[in-house]
Amino acid sequence: EAWGHDDIHGRWGSRTEELADGSRWSEQWGENKEGDIWCSKAGTTVCEKGNFEEWAVHCGQKNVRIGQEMDGEVNYEEGKIQTWKETWTKTFEEDGRLAGTHAEKVGDNGFGDKWTEKWDELYERNGLTQKWASKLGRKDRTQDDWHEQWGEKRAPPDEHDPNGRFLECWAEKTGSNGYGERWHDMWSEHLDPMSGAGKKMCNKWRVNADRSERIERSGEEWDGKGWYQKGGETLINGNKVDGWHDRAG
């Protein structure tokens, strides 16, 4: 453990610890004369059945200065604080095989903008891979809110596709703004690599500033042997204004 301070850089310190089970971690931190603080931790944790995790955390806060600008807005108030935190974890099985990862970011810029981001990956022993992510945020100055997320699944890698054949994916977006506009979009795709059959779906929903509503829906499916069908429609304020359908096989 070590620490120090001076009249120029402020305060700082570090610490390292190792436990009897093999877990270990280290930490560094600091604070400057303006009151800005930061901290960084990283280590390895031994879990049950010989599994272990490698991890890290970075966080801090910073005082928003008088006169500092963000998107054309100048700060004239004392007491506004920017904050952030980033974490990541890798999980390993006893034989050292990587089983999964997780990462997350959370922030606030002191001007009313807040956000959260997450990312996960799962690696099964048979080679199957799953990934998913999400973003969530708000901007107070324009009253914007949004949430986006997506995911995918892939088969184990083989000689035909070293990244693993695609099995399914999906995405979703929701949001609103200070003009009264709202939206919700969804999209997905599924594929059976053995038969070649699959399907797709896409839905879009909008409410405009004048409160009018628009819905667009479409979809497609096929059996991998020549048969397919697909179609879609558009509705405005609940009334169907367009539609189409196609089929073969």
Side-chain angles (χ1 to χ4, degrees), residues 100-166:
T101 64
H102 172 76
E104 186 170 345
K105 293 182 179 181
V106 180
D108 183 334
N109 68 1
F111 286 81
D113 299 347
K114 302 177 177 67
W115 61 90
T116 300
E117 300 180 12
K118 296 181 180 180
W119 178 277
D120 288 273
E121 297 183 3
L122 178 64
Y123 306 100
E124 298 187 14
R125 185 167 287 276
N126 64 1
L128 184 70
T129 302
Q130 297 186 65
K131 299 179 181 180
W132 57 95
S134 67
K135 293 183 179 181
L136 176 70
R138 174 172 177 80
K139 179 174 286 191
D140 283 347
R141 298 187 303 283
T142 54
Q143 297 182 352
D144 290 351
D145 289 275
W146 67 91
H147 187 193
E148 302 178 5
Q149 49 189 338
W150 68 267
E152 72 171 24
K153 181 185 293 186
R154 289 184 175 273
D158 56 31
E159 60 182 0
H160 302 292
D161 193 334
N163 294 318
R165 288 176 290 179
F166 168 81

Side-chain angles (χ1 to χ4, degrees), residues 175-183 206-210:
S176 62
N177 60 33
Y179 299 104
E181 299 171 334
R182 292 176 289 157
W183 56 89
R206 295 285 189 281
V207 172
N208 299 315
D210 61 5

Side-chain angles (χ1 to χ4, degrees), residues 60-72:
Q61 69 177 47
K62 179 180 180 182
N63 294 315
V64 179
R65 298 345 186 211
I66 298 297
Q68 184 174 334
E69 185 176 340
M70 176 65 68
D71 294 340

Side-chain angles (χ1 to χ4, degrees), residues 160-189:
H160 302 292
D161 193 334
N163 294 318
R165 288 176 290 179
F166 168 81
L167 297 177
E168 64 180 61
C169 63
W170 58 272
E172 184 174 5
K173 297 169 62 175
T174 60
S176 62
N177 60 33
Y179 299 104
E181 299 171 334
R182 292 176 289 157
W183 56 89
H184 187 181
D185 298 344
M186 294 186 295
W187 173 83
S188 65
E189 183 174 350

Side-chain angles (χ1 to χ4, degrees), residues 4 6 9 57-58 62 76 78 102-103 107 112 120 124 131 133 148 150 160 163 165 177 202 212-213 219-220 234-235:
D6 60 33
H9 299 97
V57 180
H58 307 286
K62 179 180 180 182
Y76 297 106
E78 294 279 2
H102 172 76
D120 288 273
E124 298 187 14
K131 299 179 181 180
E148 302 178 5
W150 68 267
H160 302 292
N163 294 318
R165 288 176 290 179
N177 60 33
C202 182
S212 62
E213 179 189 62
E220 180 178 354
T234 301
L235 293 83

Side-chain angles (χ1 to χ4, degrees), residues 32-83:
N32 64 20
K33 304 299 289 186
E34 287 76 29
D36 303 334
I37 301 171
W38 63 269
C39 180
S40 180
K41 298 181 180 181
T44 300
T45 301
V46 178
C47 309
E48 297 180 355
K49 299 180 181 180
N51 296 346
F52 62 96
E53 293 181 343
E54 294 179 352
W55 55 270
V57 180
H58 307 286
C59 58
Q61 69 177 47
K62 179 180 180 182
N63 294 315
V64 179
R65 298 345 186 211
I66 298 297
Q68 184 174 334
E69 185 176 340
M70 176 65 68
D71 294 340
E73 178 180 338
V74 180
N75 177 50
Y76 297 106
E77 300 178 17
E78 294 279 2
K80 289 185 177 180
I81 298 176
Q82 299 176 354
T83 61

